[in-house]
């Protein structure tokens, strides 16, 4: 468990470590969020593929009993293939800017990226990240909110990262902030709710024809944000 945690701007020397940690966190999170029922029940392309496989199977074997047993296997095989393909595409879908964070967040006009640095097992390490990316003149998007700590009491690190980025958004004149997420745990959901975030919409990645990963957009107006004064005072400066 880290002692004092420092929130500071991303430095080029952080690049490889931050990129590796975020990519691994994303890839570990994807299987947890997959909705197998959704994939089976609502995926038209998947149903078409399974129907073709069933037809081919029946032509060769013509055994209804075996065919009934084989249908669940087709769906499971389809699910695993799509999962593997999606994992390979994950970098392009959400992580492409991680390959060069300084360029993606190169100026106040494009955004900013912060890391939380703390002591872990006697070593100073990056234990959390958050980015703020400009989407339009009025809208900023929180990206890569990730804390690499398991102790429940260290949820404060996530709070500090949120406050730093949201105060920055306010100082840059944004009127709205959104957070794109594949799901949040209960403690984080409570923090976001207290700040003023509310659900704006849901969709599935990677496309409307391939229901793999349920995503949610959380939204807050800057003028409606409720930021704790004590935490805010510790996280305003860069």
């Amino acid at each position: 468990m880290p002692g004092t945690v420092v929130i500071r701007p991303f430095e080029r020397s952080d690049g490889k470590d931050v990129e590796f940690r975020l990519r691994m966190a994303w890839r570990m999170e994807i299987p947890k969020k997959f909705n197998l029922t959704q994939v089976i029940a609502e995926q038209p392309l998947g149903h078409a593929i399974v129907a073709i496989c069933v037809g081919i199977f029946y032509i060769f074997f013509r055994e209804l009993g075996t065919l009934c047993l084989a249908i669940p296997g087709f769906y499971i095989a389809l699910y695993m293939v799509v999962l593997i393909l999606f994992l390979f595409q994950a970098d392009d879908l959400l992580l492409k800017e991680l390959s060069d964070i300084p360029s993606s967040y190169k100026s106040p006009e494009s955004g900013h990226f912060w890391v939380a640095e703390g002591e872990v097992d006697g070593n100073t390490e990056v234990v959390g990240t958050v980015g703020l990316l400009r989407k339009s003149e009025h809208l900023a998007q929180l990206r890569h909110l990730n804390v690499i700590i398991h102790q429940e009491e260290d949820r404060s690190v996530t709070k500090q990262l949120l406050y730093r980025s949201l105060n920055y958004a306010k100082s840059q004149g944004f009127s709205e902030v959104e957070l794109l997420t594949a799901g949040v745990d209960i403690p984080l959901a409570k923090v976001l709710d207290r700040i003023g975030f509310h659900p704006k919409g849901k969709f599935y990645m990677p496309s409307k024809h391939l229901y793999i990963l349920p995503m949610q957009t959380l939204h807050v107006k800057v003028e409606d944000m409720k930021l704790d004064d004590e935490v805010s005072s510790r996280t305003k400066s860069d």
Side-chain angles (χ1 to χ4, degrees), residues 66-79:
T66 306
L67 181 62
C68 291
L69 294 175
I71 291 175
F74 287 135
Y75 275 110
I76 292 173
L78 171 68
Y79 173 78

Side-chain angles (χ1 to χ4, degrees), residues 74-85:
F74 287 135
Y75 275 110
I76 292 173
L78 171 68
Y79 173 78
M80 294 305 299
V81 168
V82 172
L83 171 59
I84 292 170
L85 290 175

Side-chain angles (χ1 to χ4, degrees), residues 24 32 46 81 129 147 180 184 197:
M24 290 305 297
K32 297 179 185 178
V81 168
T129 61
V147 175
L180 183 66
V184 296
F197 279 93

